[in-house]
Amino acid sequence: MNFRPNLLNRSFYLPRLSREFYQGDAVVFWTLTVFDKISSWLTPTFHQKFRELMFHAAAREHLLCPIYCLMSDHLHLIWMGLKQDSNQLNAMAFLRTYLEPELAPAKFQPQAYDEVLREEKRKRNAFTKVCFYIANNPVRAKLIAEKEI
């Protein structure tokens, strides 16, 4: 039996940092997970639509995406704010709104997981470590050999 929380009940949501942590020159590592580990959504057509919508969201909110990875049951991306008015929460809301119909019949879990790489963590190579983590995701899942990345 699959457990699906009442999506209107906010008690199931993870606590978020204050909005300002996602604005300006913020660097955020995002993970969007698909319910029930459904993998039929991951097609070349979906990948093309994902890239289009992700770059559209990034352009709207003045963000840069140095790396992303689509896996069979989730996706990862990093966004970096480029201007003071960059807003990653707005960009993620846009991306999820327009990307979810492309997933059908699969659905994203109600809330994306995020890790804000704060200034002190960035000084300790956190950005590099997260990029390597994302790049090695298919290797850890044994989808490709390490020498292929």
PDB file of all heavy atoms in Angstrom, residues 46-73:
ATOM      1  N   PHE A  46      10.989  14.150 -22.450  1.00  0.00           N
ATOM      2  CA  PHE A  46      10.917  14.805 -21.145  1.00  0.00           C
ATOM      3  C   PHE A  46      12.192  15.611 -20.894  1.00  0.00           C
ATOM      4  O   PHE A  46      12.140  16.742 -20.417  1.00  0.00           O
ATOM      5  CB  PHE A  46      10.703  13.800 -20.009  1.00  0.00           C
ATOM      6  CG  PHE A  46      10.692  14.473 -18.665  1.00  0.00           C
ATOM      7  CD1 PHE A  46       9.536  15.037 -18.163  1.00  0.00           C
ATOM      8  CD2 PHE A  46      11.856  14.591 -17.922  1.00  0.00           C
ATOM      9  CE1 PHE A  46       9.529  15.700 -16.942  1.00  0.00           C
ATOM     10  CE2 PHE A  46      11.869  15.244 -16.702  1.00  0.00           C
ATOM     11  CZ  PHE A  46      10.701  15.798 -16.211  1.00  0.00           C
ATOM     12  N   HIS A  47      13.341  15.028 -21.205  1.00  0.00           N
ATOM     13  CA  HIS A  47      14.610  15.719 -20.974  1.00  0.00           C
ATOM     14  C   HIS A  47      14.647  17.042 -21.749  1.00  0.00           C
ATOM     15  O   HIS A  47      15.045  18.068 -21.209  1.00  0.00           O
ATOM     16  CB  HIS A  47      15.787  14.832 -21.374  1.00  0.00           C
ATOM     17  CG  HIS A  47      17.110  15.440 -21.069  1.00  0.00           C
ATOM     18  ND1 HIS A  47      18.236  15.146 -21.786  1.00  0.00           N
ATOM     19  CD2 HIS A  47      17.502  16.339 -20.130  1.00  0.00           C
ATOM     20  CE1 HIS A  47      19.254  15.841 -21.305  1.00  0.00           C
ATOM     21  NE2 HIS A  47      18.842  16.558 -20.290  1.00  0.00           N
ATOM     22  N   GLN A  48      14.198  17.016 -22.975  1.00  0.00           N
ATOM     23  CA  GLN A  48      14.158  18.241 -23.778  1.00  0.00           C
ATOM     24  C   GLN A  48      13.237  19.285 -23.137  1.00  0.00           C
ATOM     25  O   GLN A  48      13.592  20.452 -23.025  1.00  0.00           O
ATOM     26  CB  GLN A  48      13.682  17.924 -25.191  1.00  0.00           C
ATOM     27  CG  GLN A  48      13.598  19.136 -26.078  1.00  0.00           C
ATOM     28  CD  GLN A  48      13.079  18.788 -27.462  1.00  0.00           C
ATOM     29  OE1 GLN A  48      12.664  17.674 -27.738  1.00  0.00           O
ATOM     30  NE2 GLN A  48      13.096  19.768 -28.342  1.00  0.00           N
ATOM     31  N   LYS A  49      12.061  18.856 -22.686  1.00  0.00           N
ATOM     32  CA  LYS A  49      11.115  19.779 -22.049  1.00  0.00           C
ATOM     33  C   LYS A  49      11.674  20.292 -20.721  1.00  0.00           C
ATOM     34  O   LYS A  49      11.540  21.472 -20.390  1.00  0.00           O
ATOM     35  CB  LYS A  49       9.767  19.082 -21.848  1.00  0.00           C
ATOM     36  CG  LYS A  49       8.664  20.016 -21.504  1.00  0.00           C
ATOM     37  CD  LYS A  49       8.382  20.963 -22.656  1.00  0.00           C
ATOM     38  CE  LYS A  49       7.154  21.789 -22.369  1.00  0.00           C
ATOM     39  NZ  LYS A  49       6.889  22.769 -23.413  1.00  0.00           N
ATOM     40  N   PHE A  50      12.313  19.406 -19.955  1.00  0.00           N
ATOM     41  CA  PHE A  50      12.934  19.812 -18.694  1.00  0.00           C
ATOM     42  C   PHE A  50      13.962  20.918 -18.944  1.00  0.00           C
ATOM     43  O   PHE A  50      13.959  21.943 -18.272  1.00  0.00           O
ATOM     44  CB  PHE A  50      13.611  18.618 -18.006  1.00  0.00           C
ATOM     45  CG  PHE A  50      14.538  19.038 -16.895  1.00  0.00           C
ATOM     46  CD1 PHE A  50      14.030  19.409 -15.656  1.00  0.00           C
ATOM     47  CD2 PHE A  50      15.904  19.100 -17.104  1.00  0.00           C
ATOM     48  CE1 PHE A  50      14.880  19.828 -14.641  1.00  0.00           C
ATOM     49  CE2 PHE A  50      16.756  19.521 -16.093  1.00  0.00           C
ATOM     50  CZ  PHE A  50      16.241  19.879 -14.859  1.00  0.00           C
ATOM     51  N   ARG A  51      14.855  20.706 -19.907  1.00  0.00           N
ATOM     52  CA  ARG A  51      15.887  21.703 -20.193  1.00  0.00           C
ATOM     53  C   ARG A  51      15.262  23.041 -20.581  1.00  0.00           C
ATOM     54  O   ARG A  51      15.680  24.093 -20.113  1.00  0.00           O
ATOM     55  CB  ARG A  51      16.810  21.216 -21.314  1.00  0.00           C
ATOM     56  CG  ARG A  51      17.768  20.136 -20.862  1.00  0.00           C
ATOM     57  CD  ARG A  51      18.556  19.570 -22.032  1.00  0.00           C
ATOM     58  NE  ARG A  51      19.180  20.603 -22.837  1.00  0.00           N
ATOM     59  CZ  ARG A  51      20.447  20.972 -22.748  1.00  0.00           C
ATOM     60  NH1 ARG A  51      21.238  20.394 -21.882  1.00  0.00           N
ATOM     61  NH2 ARG A  51      20.942  21.912 -23.539  1.00  0.00           N
ATOM     62  N   GLU A  52      14.248  22.986 -21.422  1.00  0.00           N
ATOM     63  CA  GLU A  52      13.574  24.209 -21.856  1.00  0.00           C
ATOM     64  C   GLU A  52      12.976  24.959 -20.666  1.00  0.00           C
ATOM     65  O   GLU A  52      13.187  26.159 -20.496  1.00  0.00           O
ATOM     66  CB  GLU A  52      12.478  23.843 -22.858  1.00  0.00           C
ATOM     67  CG  GLU A  52      11.626  24.990 -23.308  1.00  0.00           C
ATOM     68  CD  GLU A  52      10.472  24.521 -24.179  1.00  0.00           C
ATOM     69  OE1 GLU A  52      10.646  23.573 -24.960  1.00  0.00           O
ATOM     70  OE2 GLU A  52       9.380  25.111 -24.045  1.00  0.00           O
ATOM     71  N   LEU A  53      12.233  24.245 -19.814  1.00  0.00           N
ATOM     72  CA  LEU A  53      11.577  24.882 -18.673  1.00  0.00           C
ATOM     73  C   LEU A  53      12.570  25.313 -17.595  1.00  0.00           C
ATOM     74  O   LEU A  53      12.418  26.377 -16.987  1.00  0.00           O
ATOM     75  CB  LEU A  53      10.523  23.942 -18.080  1.00  0.00           C
ATOM     76  CG  LEU A  53       9.296  23.724 -18.961  1.00  0.00           C
ATOM     77  CD1 LEU A  53       8.464  22.558 -18.436  1.00  0.00           C
ATOM     78  CD2 LEU A  53       8.466  24.993 -19.050  1.00  0.00           C
ATOM     79  N   MET A  54      13.589  24.492 -17.369  1.00  0.00           N
ATOM     80  CA  MET A  54      14.584  24.833 -16.351  1.00  0.00           C
ATOM     81  C   MET A  54      15.347  26.093 -16.757  1.00  0.00           C
ATOM     82  O   MET A  54      15.546  27.008 -15.957  1.00  0.00           O
ATOM     83  CB  MET A  54      15.538  23.660 -16.137  1.00  0.00           C
ATOM     84  CG  MET A  54      16.468  23.834 -14.948  1.00  0.00           C
ATOM     85  SD  MET A  54      18.043  24.591 -15.340  1.00  0.00           S
ATOM     86  CE  MET A  54      18.712  23.403 -16.463  1.00  0.00           C
ATOM     87  N   PHE A  55      15.752  26.184 -18.019  1.00  0.00           N
ATOM     88  CA  PHE A  55      16.460  27.377 -18.478  1.00  0.00           C
ATOM     89  C   PHE A  55      15.539  28.589 -18.539  1.00  0.00           C
ATOM     90  O   PHE A  55      15.961  29.714 -18.284  1.00  0.00           O
ATOM     91  CB  PHE A  55      17.142  27.135 -19.828  1.00  0.00           C
ATOM     92  CG  PHE A  55      18.357  26.251 -19.713  1.00  0.00           C
ATOM     93  CD1 PHE A  55      18.490  25.122 -20.490  1.00  0.00           C
ATOM     94  CD2 PHE A  55      19.377  26.552 -18.813  1.00  0.00           C
ATOM     95  CE1 PHE A  55      19.603  24.309 -20.384  1.00  0.00           C
ATOM     96  CE2 PHE A  55      20.494  25.745 -18.695  1.00  0.00           C
ATOM     97  CZ  PHE A  55      20.612  24.614 -19.482  1.00  0.00           C
ATOM     98  N   HIS A  56      14.271  28.368 -18.854  1.00  0.00           N
ATOM     99  CA  HIS A  56      13.307  29.466 -18.843  1.00  0.00           C
ATOM    100  C   HIS A  56      13.154  30.019 -17.423  1.00  0.00           C
ATOM    101  O   HIS A  56      13.196  31.233 -17.207  1.00  0.00           O
ATOM    102  CB  HIS A  56      11.955  28.989 -19.390  1.00  0.00           C
ATOM    103  CG  HIS A  56      10.953  30.080 -19.537  1.00  0.00           C
ATOM    104  ND1 HIS A  56      10.780  30.782 -20.702  1.00  0.00           N
ATOM    105  CD2 HIS A  56      10.073  30.601 -18.653  1.00  0.00           C
ATOM    106  CE1 HIS A  56       9.831  31.690 -20.536  1.00  0.00           C
ATOM    107  NE2 HIS A  56       9.386  31.597 -19.294  1.00  0.00           N
ATOM    108  N   ALA A  57      12.985  29.113 -16.452  1.00  0.00           N
ATOM    109  CA  ALA A  57      12.874  29.537 -15.047  1.00  0.00           C
ATOM    110  C   ALA A  57      14.139  30.267 -14.610  1.00  0.00           C
ATOM    111  O   ALA A  57      14.072  31.305 -13.937  1.00  0.00           O
ATOM    112  CB  ALA A  57      12.620  28.324 -14.153  1.00  0.00           C
ATOM    113  N   ALA A  58      15.297  29.750 -15.008  1.00  0.00           N
ATOM    114  CA  ALA A  58      16.567  30.374 -14.642  1.00  0.00           C
ATOM    115  C   ALA A  58      16.690  31.766 -15.257  1.00  0.00           C
ATOM    116  O   ALA A  58      17.132  32.713 -14.589  1.00  0.00           O
ATOM    117  CB  ALA A  58      17.731  29.479 -15.078  1.00  0.00           C
ATOM    118  N   ALA A  59      16.287  31.918 -16.502  1.00  0.00           N
ATOM    119  CA  ALA A  59      16.370  33.235 -17.155  1.00  0.00           C
ATOM    120  C   ALA A  59      15.422  34.233 -16.502  1.00  0.00           C
ATOM    121  O   ALA A  59      15.787  35.392 -16.290  1.00  0.00           O
ATOM    122  CB  ALA A  59      16.053  33.092 -18.644  1.00  0.00           C
ATOM    123  N   ARG A  60      14.202  33.772 -16.164  1.00  0.00           N
ATOM    124  CA  ARG A  60      13.224  34.663 -15.517  1.00  0.00           C
ATOM    125  C   ARG A  60      13.756  35.222 -14.205  1.00  0.00           C
ATOM    126  O   ARG A  60      13.492  36.366 -13.851  1.00  0.00           O
ATOM    127  CB  ARG A  60      11.929  33.887 -15.220  1.00  0.00           C
ATOM    128  CG  ARG A  60      11.069  33.583 -16.392  1.00  0.00           C
ATOM    129  CD  ARG A  60       9.958  32.596 -15.991  1.00  0.00           C
ATOM    130  NE  ARG A  60       9.146  33.080 -14.904  1.00  0.00           N
ATOM    131  CZ  ARG A  60       7.893  33.503 -15.022  1.00  0.00           C
ATOM    132  NH1 ARG A  60       7.300  33.496 -16.195  1.00  0.00           N
ATOM    133  NH2 ARG A  60       7.222  33.904 -13.972  1.00  0.00           N
ATOM    134  N   GLU A  61      14.467  34.378 -13.474  1.00  0.00           N
ATOM    135  CA  GLU A  61      14.913  34.762 -12.122  1.00  0.00           C
ATOM    136  C   GLU A  61      16.416  35.036 -12.044  1.00  0.00           C
ATOM    137  O   GLU A  61      16.966  35.097 -10.953  1.00  0.00           O
ATOM    138  CB  GLU A  61      14.516  33.669 -11.124  1.00  0.00           C
ATOM    139  CG  GLU A  61      13.023  33.507 -10.959  1.00  0.00           C
ATOM    140  CD  GLU A  61      12.335  34.750 -10.387  1.00  0.00           C
ATOM    141  OE1 GLU A  61      12.984  35.517  -9.651  1.00  0.00           O
ATOM    142  OE2 GLU A  61      11.141  34.943 -10.691  1.00  0.00           O
ATOM    143  N   HIS A  62      17.075  35.161 -13.170  1.00  0.00           N
ATOM    144  CA  HIS A  62      18.508  35.497 -13.216  1.00  0.00           C
ATOM    145  C   HIS A  62      19.344  34.477 -12.443  1.00  0.00           C
ATOM    146  O   HIS A  62      20.065  34.816 -11.509  1.00  0.00           O
ATOM    147  CB  HIS A  62      18.764  36.906 -12.681  1.00  0.00           C
ATOM    148  CG  HIS A  62      17.864  37.930 -13.260  1.00  0.00           C
ATOM    149  ND1 HIS A  62      17.954  38.355 -14.569  1.00  0.00           N
ATOM    150  CD2 HIS A  62      16.807  38.601 -12.738  1.00  0.00           C
ATOM    151  CE1 HIS A  62      17.028  39.238 -14.818  1.00  0.00           C
ATOM    152  NE2 HIS A  62      16.308  39.409 -13.731  1.00  0.00           N
ATOM    153  N   LEU A  63      19.224  33.209 -12.881  1.00  0.00           N
ATOM    154  CA  LEU A  63      19.941  32.121 -12.233  1.00  0.00           C
ATOM    155  C   LEU A  63      20.828  31.411 -13.249  1.00  0.00           C
ATOM    156  O   LEU A  63      20.556  31.424 -14.444  1.00  0.00           O
ATOM    157  CB  LEU A  63      18.955  31.098 -11.651  1.00  0.00           C
ATOM    158  CG  LEU A  63      17.934  31.619 -10.647  1.00  0.00           C
ATOM    159  CD1 LEU A  63      16.887  30.566 -10.351  1.00  0.00           C
ATOM    160  CD2 LEU A  63      18.621  32.076  -9.374  1.00  0.00           C
ATOM    161  N   LEU A  64      21.853  30.754 -12.746  1.00  0.00           N
ATOM    162  CA  LEU A  64      22.735  29.922 -13.546  1.00  0.00           C
ATOM    163  C   LEU A  64      22.622  28.497 -13.020  1.00  0.00           C
ATOM    164  O   LEU A  64      22.602  28.287 -11.804  1.00  0.00           O
ATOM    165  CB  LEU A  64      24.178  30.417 -13.417  1.00  0.00           C
ATOM    166  CG  LEU A  64      25.259  29.537 -14.035  1.00  0.00           C
ATOM    167  CD1 LEU A  64      25.189  29.655 -15.558  1.00  0.00           C
ATOM    168  CD2 LEU A  64      26.629  29.950 -13.530  1.00  0.00           C
ATOM    169  N   CYS A  65      22.555  27.526 -13.924  1.00  0.00           N
ATOM    170  CA  CYS A  65      22.531  26.118 -13.530  1.00  0.00           C
ATOM    171  C   CYS A  65      23.815  25.458 -14.034  1.00  0.00           C
ATOM    172  O   CYS A  65      23.904  25.088 -15.207  1.00  0.00           O
ATOM    173  CB  CYS A  65      21.307  25.411 -14.120  1.00  0.00           C
ATOM    174  SG  CYS A  65      21.231  23.653 -13.677  1.00  0.00           S
ATOM    175  N   PRO A  66      24.829  25.309 -13.163  1.00  0.00           N
ATOM    176  CA  PRO A  66      26.087  24.713 -13.621  1.00  0.00           C
ATOM    177  C   PRO A  66      26.013  23.207 -13.823  1.00  0.00           C
ATOM    178  O   PRO A  66      26.817  22.651 -14.570  1.00  0.00           O
ATOM    179  CB  PRO A  66      27.072  25.067 -12.510  1.00  0.00           C
ATOM    180  CG  PRO A  66      26.230  25.270 -11.306  1.00  0.00           C
ATOM    181  CD  PRO A  66      24.910  25.788 -11.787  1.00  0.00           C
ATOM    182  N   ILE A  67      25.049  22.527 -13.176  1.00  0.00           N
ATOM    183  CA  ILE A  67      24.945  21.074 -13.316  1.00  0.00           C
ATOM    184  C   ILE A  67      23.550  20.624 -12.915  1.00  0.00           C
ATOM    185  O   ILE A  67      22.917  21.217 -12.032  1.00  0.00           O
ATOM    186  CB  ILE A  67      26.022  20.345 -12.462  1.00  0.00           C
ATOM    187  CG1 ILE A  67      26.048  18.845 -12.793  1.00  0.00           C
ATOM    188  CG2 ILE A  67      25.830  20.607 -10.981  1.00  0.00           C
ATOM    189  CD1 ILE A  67      27.271  18.130 -12.231  1.00  0.00           C
ATOM    190  N   TYR A  68      23.081  19.582 -13.601  1.00  0.00           N
ATOM    191  CA  TYR A  68      21.846  18.909 -13.216  1.00  0.00           C
ATOM    192  C   TYR A  68      21.971  17.446 -13.594  1.00  0.00           C
ATOM    193  O   TYR A  68      22.845  17.066 -14.381  1.00  0.00           O
ATOM    194  CB  TYR A  68      20.606  19.549 -13.860  1.00  0.00           C
ATOM    195  CG  TYR A  68      20.482  19.326 -15.344  1.00  0.00           C
ATOM    196  CD1 TYR A  68      19.848  18.197 -15.852  1.00  0.00           C
ATOM    197  CD2 TYR A  68      21.007  20.247 -16.243  1.00  0.00           C
ATOM    198  CE1 TYR A  68      19.745  17.989 -17.222  1.00  0.00           C
ATOM    199  CE2 TYR A  68      20.909  20.045 -17.604  1.00  0.00           C
ATOM    200  CZ  TYR A  68      20.276  18.913 -18.090  1.00  0.00           C
ATOM    201  OH  TYR A  68      20.173  18.703 -19.437  1.00  0.00           O
ATOM    202  N   CYS A  69      21.095  16.618 -13.044  1.00  0.00           N
ATOM    203  CA  CYS A  69      21.090  15.191 -13.357  1.00  0.00           C
ATOM    204  C   CYS A  69      19.667  14.677 -13.215  1.00  0.00           C
ATOM    205  O   CYS A  69      19.013  14.914 -12.195  1.00  0.00           O
ATOM    206  CB  CYS A  69      22.014  14.436 -12.404  1.00  0.00           C
ATOM    207  SG  CYS A  69      22.065  12.650 -12.712  1.00  0.00           S
ATOM    208  N   LEU A  70      19.184  13.989 -14.249  1.00  0.00           N
ATOM    209  CA  LEU A  70      17.878  13.342 -14.203  1.00  0.00           C
ATOM    210  C   LEU A  70      18.098  11.866 -13.930  1.00  0.00           C
ATOM    211  O   LEU A  70      18.794  11.195 -14.695  1.00  0.00           O
ATOM    212  CB  LEU A  70      17.131  13.522 -15.528  1.00  0.00           C
ATOM    213  CG  LEU A  70      16.939  14.952 -16.027  1.00  0.00           C
ATOM    214  CD1 LEU A  70      16.185  14.943 -17.348  1.00  0.00           C
ATOM    215  CD2 LEU A  70      16.217  15.798 -15.007  1.00  0.00           C
ATOM    216  N   MET A  71      17.525  11.367 -12.864  1.00  0.00           N
ATOM    217  CA  MET A  71      17.601   9.945 -12.519  1.00  0.00           C
ATOM    218  C   MET A  71      16.206   9.345 -12.700  1.00  0.00           C
ATOM    219  O   MET A  71      15.241  10.058 -12.944  1.00  0.00           O
ATOM    220  CB  MET A  71      18.085   9.786 -11.075  1.00  0.00           C
ATOM    221  CG  MET A  71      19.492  10.320 -10.835  1.00  0.00           C
ATOM    222  SD  MET A  71      20.761   9.392 -11.699  1.00  0.00           S
ATOM    223  CE  MET A  71      20.737   7.865 -10.753  1.00  0.00           C
ATOM    224  N   SER A  72      16.091   8.048 -12.553  1.00  0.00           N
ATOM    225  CA  SER A  72      14.810   7.396 -12.832  1.00  0.00           C
ATOM    226  C   SER A  72      13.703   7.774 -11.850  1.00  0.00           C
ATOM    227  O   SER A  72      12.530   7.721 -12.205  1.00  0.00           O
ATOM    228  CB  SER A  72      14.982   5.881 -12.859  1.00  0.00           C
ATOM    229  OG  SER A  72      15.433   5.420 -11.606  1.00  0.00           O
ATOM    230  N   ASP A  73      14.049   8.180 -10.627  1.00  0.00           N
ATOM    231  CA  ASP A  73      13.014   8.508  -9.644  1.00  0.00           C
ATOM    232  C   ASP A  73      13.195   9.881  -8.996  1.00  0.00           C
ATOM    233  O   ASP A  73      12.493  10.222  -8.055  1.00  0.00           O
ATOM    234  CB  ASP A  73      12.931   7.429  -8.561  1.00  0.00           C
ATOM    235  CG  ASP A  73      14.213   7.292  -7.775  1.00  0.00           C
ATOM    236  OD1 ASP A  73      15.246   7.852  -8.206  1.00  0.00           O
ATOM    237  OD2 ASP A  73      14.202   6.619  -6.735  1.00  0.00           O
TER     238      ASP A  73
END
